[in-house]
Amino acid sequence: MSKLTAKIKSDLPLRISLMIVLAMALLLTVTLLVMLHYSRNSMKDDALNRATYTLDRATNNIDNILLSVEETAGNIYFNMKFDDPERMYTYAHKIVETNPYISGCVIAFKPGYFKGHDLFMVYAHSTDSTHQDHSTSNIVHSNSFGTKPYTEQIWFNRPIGKNKAMWMNPLLGMKSDIEPLTSFCAPILDANHSPIGVISVHVPLQLLSSVISAARPSPNSYCALVDNDGSFIVDPTAGYLSKIKAFNLPGISVQEAVKTMMSGNKGYLPFDIDGRKFYLFYQPFRMAKVPYRTLITNPGWSIGVAFSENDIFGEYNALFNFVIIIAIVGMVLMYLHTRLIIRHRLKPLRMLTELTDRIAHGQYNEPLPSRHRNKDEIGMLQGHFQQMQRSVAANINELHELTQTIQERSKELHIAYEQAQKADRMKTAFLHNMTDQMLAPSFAIDEDVSALSHFDKETSTQTVSQLVEDIQQNGDTITQILNNLINLSEKEEDLEEKGGKL
């Protein structure tokens, strides 16, 4: 790590390239995050729109079937006469025969309504539950439906108790091998609008399952239709096992999704199944507003479609991975490209750095590289550096010449100094010699003066004259020596003033 850090610190092109790539990576990351955030929301909105369209289409298709059944039952009901029990077989048969969506019809009356019949019920149903070819389907009649007396069954008691038509599961509370059904149950009213019986028209859930299955917007999506008590009218596998409770599905998130779906609201929420993520889009099943339908109780169903996360975000995830790969490759290519360009652009600087190092070690006349052809900062720096090198070289040459001159003059001064010292020594010897020459006359004068001072009147004139003459001669000798010194000193001064040598 320390080697890498040292390499980065010592390599300017590498450092600049990394800074550019990091800056671009940061900018690209922020841009991609913003773009991908809005893309993800857009895909979620698109999934919501698709789910809403799917649910609306499935709701309309199912409601068209229900409305067709209600109209068939209503048309027959308004033409029914309840004075002859035998006619009930004809009515039930006609209802099943008229509408291909109807698999059976039960007409039952309160106990004792018909004389001679304590309980009276007619059940007509088709043997072809698929209704692929209604003209060839066989309709059979029966006097029983379910495993309990009809007076104890919910499809009979609830419409009479509420005196209102409604859709329900006629097999609720019974264990039966009858194909799962949903029924339109309407009370039969007398002239006083009091219920005297019930007409229950059956629609096979297999039919609704085929509608739900056809409405699936993607291969990995699941549609479901749930009753108000939590039972599946159509389960997510496009089956029709209405006895399965949605609350019994495994997984807390699935159970929470079912509760939310049955809340009567519209929306979506995520949930997990076996580790796979799904989004459940749900809305209440609303029946179309038709005038006579105001007398029909809303079934309270809920319809939903579950998308796997891959169905919603599969393209997004693929795009995300593709963009990440492109971004990484782009960053690498950008790094290599910028490093190559920066290294090429900074090559003159590297050459100047090496040249500066050599100049610092005394190689002042090192040849300069050719000037950068671009008139940018690097070119200007290289030009100024060339001027600086020429100026430094000229100054160094001048310094060398001046040093050489100083050295030569120093040698001359040294020679002159030695000659001056020699002359001084000669002068000292000369003065000493002259002084020695003056000592003898001086001592002679002193002796003559001393002898002269001791002479008296009796001393002969010749002796005195001789002493005076000796004194005079010695004095002339001293005077001559002093004159010679004075003349020599004047000559030295003249020579010094003229720059000559002694």
Side-chain angles (χ1 to χ4, degrees):
M1 188 65 182
S2 59
K3 292 183 179 179
L4 179 61
T5 304
K7 173 65 177 176
I8 294 175
K9 289 182 178 180
S10 62
D11 194 335
L12 181 59
L14 175 61
R15 191 161 64 251
I16 295 176
S17 301
L18 289 177
M19 291 173 63
I20 293 175
V21 170
L22 289 176
M24 291 300 298
L26 179 61
L27 178 61
L28 181 62
T29 300
V30 173
T31 303
L32 287 177
L33 288 177
V34 173
M35 182 186 71
L36 293 174
H37 171 73
Y38 284 104
S39 299
R40 187 179 180 87
N41 290 339
S42 177
M43 289 185 175
K44 188 179 293 185
D45 292 339
D46 177 68
L48 178 60
N49 293 332
R50 283 192 294 156
T52 301
Y53 172 76
T54 299
L55 296 178
D56 289 342
R57 184 179 63 178
T59 299
N60 291 334
N61 291 339
I62 292 175
D63 191 48
N64 288 336
I65 294 174
L66 301 184
L67 184 59
S68 173
V69 172
E70 293 169 8
E71 288 177 345
T72 299
N75 291 335
I76 300 297
Y77 174 78
F78 288 122
N79 294 315
M80 289 175 65
K81 296 183 181 295
F82 307 108
D83 54 352
D84 184 2
E86 296 300 324
R87 292 182 179 180
M88 300 304 112
Y89 292 98
T90 303
Y91 296 147
H93 188 97
K94 191 172 184 179
I95 289 175
V96 176
E97 184 182 39
T98 304
N99 195 316
Y101 300 136
I102 299 174
S103 63
C105 176
V106 177
I107 301 176
F109 291 86
K110 286 184 175 181
Y113 178 77
F114 289 111
K115 292 181 179 180
H117 298 278
D118 185 22
L119 297 175
F120 182 81
M121 184 196 80
V122 174
Y123 176 36
H125 60 95
S126 174
T127 57
D128 181 11
S129 60
T130 61
H131 296 268
Q132 296 295 326
D133 187 1
H134 189 269
S135 61
T136 60
S137 62
N138 191 18
I139 301 175
V140 297
H141 295 182
S142 174
N143 293 324
S144 65
F145 175 77
T147 58
K148 297 180 181 179
Y150 72 84
T151 54
E152 298 179 8
Q153 297 181 28
I154 189 172
W155 61 266
F156 182 81
N157 293 322
R158 187 172 290 179
I160 289 180
K162 294 187 175 182
N163 196 16
K164 199 169 186 179
M166 62 187 65
W167 283 91
M168 68 172 64
N169 176 11
L171 301 175
L172 189 64
M174 289 190 298
K175 294 182 179 181
S176 174
D177 294 332
I178 300 176
E179 178 186 30
L181 305 168
T182 185
S183 296
F184 173 66
C185 303
I188 300 173
L189 305 179
D190 59 11
N192 297 323
H193 297 284
S194 297
I196 58 176
V198 172
I199 179 171
S200 178
V201 182
H202 302 158
V203 177
L205 293 186
Q206 183 180 10
L207 176 63
L208 302 186
S209 296
S210 63
V211 174
I212 291 291
S213 178
R216 293 171 61 181
S218 66
N220 296 320
S221 61
Y222 301 92
C223 294
L225 188 64
V226 181
D227 202 348
N228 55 6
D229 64 349
S231 298
F232 278 121
I233 299 175
V234 177
D235 67 24
T237 61
Y240 47 90
L241 303 176
S242 62
K243 296 180 181 180
I244 298 177
K245 289 285 186 180
F247 294 117
N248 295 333
L249 293 177
I252 298 177
S253 62
V254 177
Q255 296 174 5
E256 291 295 329
V258 172
K259 290 180 181 179
T260 306
M261 180 178 175
M262 294 175 56
S263 63
N265 298 321
K266 179 179 179 180
Y268 70 92
L269 78 162
F271 68 98
D272 297 333
I273 298 180
D274 296 332
R276 296 178 61 190
K277 292 185 178 180
F278 289 84
Y279 280 85
L280 174 64
F281 298 86
Y282 57 89
Q283 66 184 31
F285 182 89
R286 300 192 184 279
M287 302 172 69
K289 293 184 179 180
V290 180
Y292 76 87
R293 264 191 166 182
T294 56
L295 301 176
I296 301 176
T297 301
N298 192 304
W301 297 345
S302 297
I303 187 170
V305 57
F307 283 92
S308 69
E309 188 178 42
N310 188 58
D311 284 347
I312 301 176
F313 300 115
E315 295 181 358
Y316 167 85
N317 293 333
L319 176 63
F320 179 81
N321 295 332
F322 188 65
V323 168
I324 291 298
I325 294 174
I326 292 178
I328 293 175
V329 174
M331 289 296 101
V332 173
L333 294 178
M334 180 182 294
Y335 165 74
L336 296 176
H337 187 62
T338 53
R339 179 171 172 78
L340 180 64
I341 293 176
I342 293 173
R343 192 175 184 85
H344 175 71
R345 296 291 295 173
L346 294 181
K347 183 177 180 181
L349 285 180
R350 186 169 62 254
M351 296 173 65
L352 289 177
T353 302
E354 296 173 354
L355 180 60
T356 304
D357 182 66
R358 290 194 292 270
I359 291 175
H361 287 83
Q363 302 176 14
Y364 303 106
N365 294 321
E366 184 75 19
L368 284 170
S370 59
R371 183 170 179 177
H372 201 271
R373 63 177 178 271
N374 293 331
K375 296 182 180 180
D376 53 9
E377 290 79 0
I378 297 177
M380 295 173 62
L381 176 62
Q382 194 171 6
H384 294 328
F385 191 87
Q386 288 176 343
Q387 295 177 3
M388 182 190 72
Q389 189 197 25
R390 287 192 292 267
S391 177
V392 169
N395 291 332
I396 294 299
N397 291 332
E398 291 179 1
L399 287 175
H400 282 311
E401 292 177 359
L402 182 59
T403 302
Q404 187 175 1
T405 302
I406 291 174
Q407 289 176 351
E408 291 176 357
R409 291 185 179 180
S410 178
K411 291 179 181 178
E412 293 176 357
L413 289 173
H414 183 69
I415 295 172
Y417 176 72
E418 290 180 351
Q419 291 178 351
Q421 285 184 331
K422 183 177 179 180
D424 186 63
R425 289 193 298 272
M426 291 174 63
K427 184 184 294 184
T428 301
F430 174 74
L431 291 175
H432 183 70
N433 186 31
M434 295 298 290
T435 303
D436 288 341
Q437 291 179 11
M438 292 173 62
L439 286 177
S442 299
F443 288 145
I445 293 172
D446 182 64
E447 290 176 355
D448 290 340
V449 172
S450 177
L452 188 60
S453 64
H454 290 86
F455 289 157
D456 54 17
K457 296 179 179 181
E458 295 179 356
T459 305
S460 62
T461 304
Q462 185 178 0
T463 302
V464 173
S465 297
Q466 184 64 39
L467 290 172
V468 171
E469 185 179 356
D470 292 338
I471 291 171
Q472 186 177 4
Q473 288 179 353
N474 291 324
D476 291 338
T477 301
I478 293 171
T479 301
Q480 184 64 38
I481 292 172
L482 290 174
N483 287 333
N484 291 337
L485 288 174
I486 292 171
N487 291 333
L488 183 61
S489 176
E490 289 177 353
K491 289 181 179 180
E492 287 183 355
E493 289 179 357
D494 292 338
L495 289 173
E496 289 179 356
E497 289 177 357
K498 294 178 181 180
K501 296 182 180 179
L502 182 60

